[in-house]
Amino acid sequence: MDTQEYSRQSKHLAQIIVQAYGKSPLVYDDLEEQVICAFTFGCHRAFSVEVGVQEWEHKMLMVEILHDIFGFDFEVAGNALNFLVECLDPEFDKALNLVVHCGDDGYALLNDPEELGRQLKEIVYIMGSKLEVTDPGPADDN
């Protein structure tokens, strides 16, 4: 596969994920942005391995995806990529590490956008419920 075709298919993969989720990246909240980007990163890694692309090529194209599909400035896209690479270490961020791996597995769902969308929404819901913190109120030091 030549570079141009790899780029085209990679961006198409990301567009399928965004469309399956059913919401424009321009209106994602922080949680959605992290989850959908981490999922896309994992999915794109699986695709890149399948087609025999080097890791550095995958990373360069992921920056383009973060820019072209998710609307990040290039500098922000580079920083986001570094964060996503760090998420490959489960000790860095266990939750997002799992989302990246869900993306690896989710690569098989690209031909079933309904199921893909359902799973993405479920991941966002679960991640959101894990982040909810009950405010205990003011500390009582007496």
Side-chain angles (χ1 to χ4, degrees), residues 72-86:
F72 292 15
D73 291 334
F74 274 113
E75 184 177 345
V76 174
N79 292 338
L81 174 66
N82 290 335
F83 176 77
L84 293 168
V85 169
E86 289 289 330

Side-chain angles (χ1 to χ4, degrees), residues 19-70:
Q19 289 171 353
Y21 186 61
K23 195 172 175 183
S24 168
L26 299 176
V27 295
Y28 287 174
D29 62 27
D30 289 340
L31 175 64
E32 291 170 317
E33 185 175 85
Q34 286 184 22
V35 169
I36 304 302
C37 287
F39 186 94
T40 301
F41 176 70
C43 193
H44 188 253
R45 282 181 67 228
F47 167 67
S48 298
V49 167
E50 181 179 282
V51 298
V53 171
Q54 298 295 318
E55 185 175 350
W56 66 268
E57 293 174 289
H58 149 68
K59 289 178 180 176
M60 286 186 63
L61 201 19
M62 194 62 210
V63 169
E64 284 186 39
I65 288 169
L66 291 166
H67 176 267
D68 295 349
I69 307 300
F70 291 95

Side-chain angles (χ1 to χ4, degrees), residues 68-139:
D68 295 349
I69 307 300
F70 291 95
F72 292 15
D73 291 334
F74 274 113
E75 184 177 345
V76 174
N79 292 338
L81 174 66
N82 290 335
F83 176 77
L84 293 168
V85 169
E86 289 289 330
C87 288
L88 293 173
D89 176 2
E91 297 304 314
F92 177 75
D93 189 318
K94 290 180 185 190
L96 284 177
N97 174 268
L98 290 171
V99 175
V100 169
H101 289 294
C102 286
D104 288 339
D105 297 338
Y107 175 61
L109 293 174
L110 290 178
N111 292 324
D112 187 354
E114 188 175 313
E115 179 60 18
L116 176 60
R118 187 192 68 72
Q119 287 193 21
L120 288 168
K121 289 171 186 148
E122 189 172 289
I123 293 167
V124 169
Y125 174 78
I126 291 168
M127 292 288 289
S129 67
K130 296 287 184 196
L131 295 177
E132 289 179 6
V133 177
T134 304
D135 183 6

